[in-house]
Every structure is written in C-alpha cells, then in structure tokens.
Amino acid sequence: MFETLEPLPPDAILGMMALYRADPDPRKIDLSVGVYQDEEGRTPILESVKRAERAVFENEDTKTYVAIAGNAAFNRGVEGLLFGDAHPAVADGRVVTLQTPGGSGALCVAAHLIRRARPEARVHISEPSWPNHIPLLTLSGLEIATYPYYDQRAHRVDFERMVDAVEKIPAGDLLLLHACCHNPCGADLTRDQWQTLAELCERRGIVPFIDLAYQGFAEGLDEDAYGVRLMSERMPEVVVVSSCSKNFGLYRERVGSVSIVAANAESAKGVASHAANVARGIYSMPPDHGAAIVARILGDAELRALWEREVAEIRTRLNALRRLLADKLAERSTPVDFSFIANERGMFSFLGLDRERVVALRERFHIYMIESSRINVAGIRPANVDYIADAIAAVLE
Ligand SMILES: Cc1ncc(COP(=O)(O)O)c(C=O)c1O
C-alpha cells in the first residue's frame, strides 16, 4: 500500500538550513531560522525556565496522565496572560481553555471543534500567513479561504483591501488573525484597525479566530493581547490559540493552549465537553513538562517577574536590531526605503527582494534567507550588520 506515497518536495526552510550548515565560509549568516536566537546564535533556555524546571523536578511525585484539558494551574495562568486579570468573558464563565501540544496542537483542536460545531464554516486566513496554518486547519476537513493582508510593495498592511474582503465573508465563517508579530510579514494591525475589524465582525456575524504565538515580543505582554481582549469583549464567540514555544522558549516541550469564548456559561459547558472529546481523539492527554514549568513561573511572583524581564529583553533586542538594520541600510542610500523594517514587529520581515537577489545574497555573500526574502531579525548581530547592509546594497545595484 505505501508504494502509492511519492516523496513530497523538500521543505523550503529545512532545505535552506541544510545548505547553511554545509557552507564552510566563515562569513555565513543564517537569517532563515524560525526560532529566536541570542547574540551568540543560540536559542537559549530562559533563566526563569531553568529555575522553574528545577522546582518541578524536585516536587513532582508521579508520572501518571494529566487531565485531558491539561494542567489546571497552567490553564488559569494562560487565561490571565491572554485575557488579563479581570476580563468579563472569564468572569462570566464563558471561557474554556485547554492545554495543548504547542500552538500547533491548539490549532488542530480548534479546527476539529469548529468542524464539529459548524461543518460548513470556512476559515479565512491572511495572504500571506504562517505556511503551517493551512495543513493544520484542513486536516479536520475544514475549508480555507484567504483574504489580502500585506502590500508587498508598500510594506504595510493593506487594510483597505482586507476590509473589502472581510465585508464579503458570510456570517458564521471564521476570520483568522495574527494577534501580533505577524508571521511571516511582521506587519501588525493597529488598535484602530482592531476596532474596525471588531465592528465588522460584530455587524457581519463573523467569528474571530486569533493566533497569539509571540505574546510579549512586539510591544508588551498586555499590549500584544489587545486584539484578543477587545474581540472577547465585543463578540459573543471567539477562538484564541496561543503558543509558549517562543515567549517561554519551550519549543521542544510542546506547550500551548486553545481558549474558546462561548456565548454564555451554558454554551461553555458543551464546548468544554466537546473540546475534551476532540483532544481525546487526537492525542488523549497533553505532555506535562512544559506546562508544569509555565504554571510554576506564572504562579510565583519572583519567577514571573524574572520571566517578564527576560521577555522584555528579547523584545527590546529584536526592536533594536530592526532599527539598526534599517539605519544601516539608510546610510547606504539603497534605492529601496527599508525604514519599514524598524516599524514591523517580532522576528520576521520580508525584505521585498526578488528570487534572483535572494540567491545572489546566498551565493555571493553567504547570507541565507527564505526565497520569499523573509528574514529572521534575530539572526542579525551588531558585528555582522554592516556586512549584511553592504551585501543588500550590492545586490540592489
Ligand atoms: C503564527 C504561528 N502560529 C502557531 C505557531 C505554532 O507554534 P508551536 O511551535 O507552539 O506549535 C507558530 C510557530 O512558528 C506560528 O508562527
């Protein structure tokens, strides 16, 4: 039977990583990776995570299964991060949260739950979006549509076209929005734009579906949850998925969450029972370790303060690197205005270079990025930024 399975084309990002590893040139720079890197090019374990992990090891006394919904303290802690301390939807018992295997697991559970509740609903995703959104959501059988989001020439959110497209979405469909640090373009919605979308979703009966994979990396922990909190105040139903991979650096521990805001506490009971049943049918129970660490950090004032400082350091570094690269490119008077890099947020931005120039950067200068010219800002260092800016200026000549 398996002879029917032809090998799929190699994954573009993994292929780029392999090329990078094989390049012996000492000047090589990797701007293609999808994870955070520090000044030394490492993806570090946060100090708050190390300390919490030690406490978890010392105190754990069983390896029996966790509940299907996961660690209750984790779920409460994450609800606080997402919705704030006194959100009316949480206070009214309308929010159901499950710990999931990463943000990917959360997307998968959400997709199956939506499919069960309304099989004909379509999820509208931004063009472009994180490439894994489509496979994760369609595995449940859900249909996907796209809406225009990013203007590749102007390097900004094309809000007019986005609104035009959202105006045509039928009632009951879902609108997938990146809460902050849009992956892959780095261009986020302003507060006014969130307000406009909230009004639009309310008027048209569209259900917001918000993906928050980089909370704390753009403007701040509370600031980055603005859209989640606004939509959950205004709308009867909202789907929120979050990931602890980036902001806790817990990538391989696979920890994330799905929160469903239901129309009322009664409906939340049905959601809780079906969400648990969906999770049971996919992976039964989530892994414990990462969520136990997060629960400990969020439940301990000292550890939490340390974690918040560590996230702030990452955010400050990313934003400083953005500014630095934009300034260095401006000094070189390139024909393209790269000031947008400093205005975008999170790890990713599109440089807006064509394929030929991306290949030239790789072959002539040993600078690696995805073919779409998406870069990970975290790969830039003060020591290599002049080289990067010179190389970009050279390929634009
Ligand atoms: C927008 C977005 N959503 C979800 C995820 C999933 O994260 P996880 O690694 O926790 O599954 C990612 C990871 O890169 C992402 O960029």
Side-chain angles (χ1 to χ4, degrees), residues 363-380:
E363 292 180 351
R364 284 171 55 199
F365 298 97
H366 308 272
I367 298 174
Y368 289 74
M369 66 189 65
I370 312 294
E371 288 212 342
S372 59
S373 82
R374 188 203 81 170
I375 59 164
N376 182 347
V377 175
I380 303 167

Side-chain angles (χ1 to χ4, degrees), residues 304-337:
R304 185 179 175 123
L306 173 61
W307 171 69
E308 288 190 8
R309 281 200 301 279
E310 293 187 287
V311 175
E313 269 168 33
I314 293 174
R315 174 173 67 246
T316 307
R317 175 163 175 267
L318 288 173
N319 289 337
L321 288 171
R322 287 181 167 282
R323 177 81 275 151
L324 184 64
L325 180 61
D327 288 349
K328 294 286 182 186
L329 286 163
E331 279 168 21
R332 278 144 183 93
S333 308
T334 51
V336 179
D337 174 7

Side-chain angles (χ1 to χ4, degrees), residues 34-35 100-107 129-133 136 178 180-184 211-214 241-246 250-252 254-256 347-348 374:
V35 297
T100 55
S104 302
L107 281 156
S129 199
W130 181 47
N132 221 17
H133 271 145
L136 281 168
H178 296 231
C180 67
C181 305
H182 188 286
N183 183 4
D211 185 347
L212 182 40
Y214 300 90
V241 292
S242 90
S243 164
C244 301
S245 300
K246 312 287 160 39
L250 283 167
Y251 305 85
R252 63 170 63 172
R254 311 307 299 133
V255 53
M347 300 203 293
F348 307 116
R374 188 203 81 170

Side-chain angles (χ1 to χ4, degrees), residues 27-277:
R27 292 168 302 174
K28 69 180 177 178
I29 297 169
D30 187 7
L31 301 181
S32 71
V33 289
V35 297
Y36 178 74
Q37 292 188 331
D38 65 12
E39 296 263 310
E40 280 85 47
R42 294 169 314 149
T43 301
I45 302 178
L46 300 184
E47 179 56 26
S48 51
V49 166
K50 267 287 177 212
R51 289 194 201 168
E53 194 163 42
R54 272 183 225 119
V56 167
F57 274 133
E58 273 162 27
N59 291 292
E60 69 182 356
D61 53 10
T62 180
K63 289 288 187 192
T64 188
Y65 295 117
V66 295
I68 297 177
N71 178 325
F74 167 86
N75 290 341
R76 270 198 314 278
V78 164
E79 274 183 6
L81 276 181
L82 299 175
F83 299 95
D85 287 335
H87 197 284
V90 178
D92 294 346
R94 292 168 50 212
V95 182
V96 175
T97 299
L98 272 80
Q99 173 200 328
T100 55
S104 302
L107 281 156
C108 195
V109 170
H112 282 274
L113 191 67
I114 293 163
R115 175 103 171 120
R116 222 182 244 202
R118 189 181 288 135
E120 68 281 11
R122 286 197 300 174
V123 178
H124 299 256
I125 68 172
S126 62
E127 174 53 47
S129 199
W130 181 47
N132 221 17
H133 271 145
I134 293 182
L136 281 168
L137 296 171
T138 50
L139 208 60
S140 63
L142 273 181
E143 259 189 63
I144 302 290
T146 58
Y147 60 86
Y149 182 78
Y150 189 63
D151 181 336
Q152 296 273 1
R153 287 185 179 201
H155 298 285
R156 62 172 182 88
V157 177
D158 194 342
F159 198 61
E160 298 73 27
R161 282 183 67 219
M162 175 179 179
V163 166
D164 277 353
V166 176
E167 283 280 7
K168 299 187 184 85
I169 294 178
D173 274 8
L174 293 101
L175 179 65
L176 183 65
L177 298 161
H178 296 231
C180 67
C181 305
H182 188 286
N183 183 4
C185 70
D188 287 341
L189 296 165
T190 63
R191 290 189 170 201
D192 282 349
Q193 290 170 338
W194 277 107
Q195 293 275 356
T196 303
L197 288 173
E199 275 158 33
L200 197 49
C201 288
E202 209 170 9
R203 178 158 52 77
R204 298 215 34 95
I206 299 165
V207 181
F209 182 168
I210 309 177
D211 185 347
L212 182 40
Y214 300 90
Q215 188 174 6
F217 278 21
E219 307 291 340
L221 287 165
D222 288 321
E223 291 83 346
D224 294 353
Y226 178 78
V228 170
R229 296 176 191 180
L230 174 75
M231 289 293 191
S232 308
E233 256 172 44
R234 298 277 296 266
M235 301 294 299
E237 295 185 326
V238 184
V239 179
V240 184
V241 292
S242 90
S243 164
C244 301
S245 300
K246 312 287 160 39
N247 57 2
F248 287 87
L250 283 167
Y251 305 85
R252 63 170 63 172
E253 301 296 353
R254 311 307 299 133
V255 53
S257 67
V258 57
S259 297
I260 308 289
V261 181
N264 52 53
E266 196 50 35
S267 161
K269 288 184 196 158
V271 168
S273 128
H274 279 273
N277 186 262

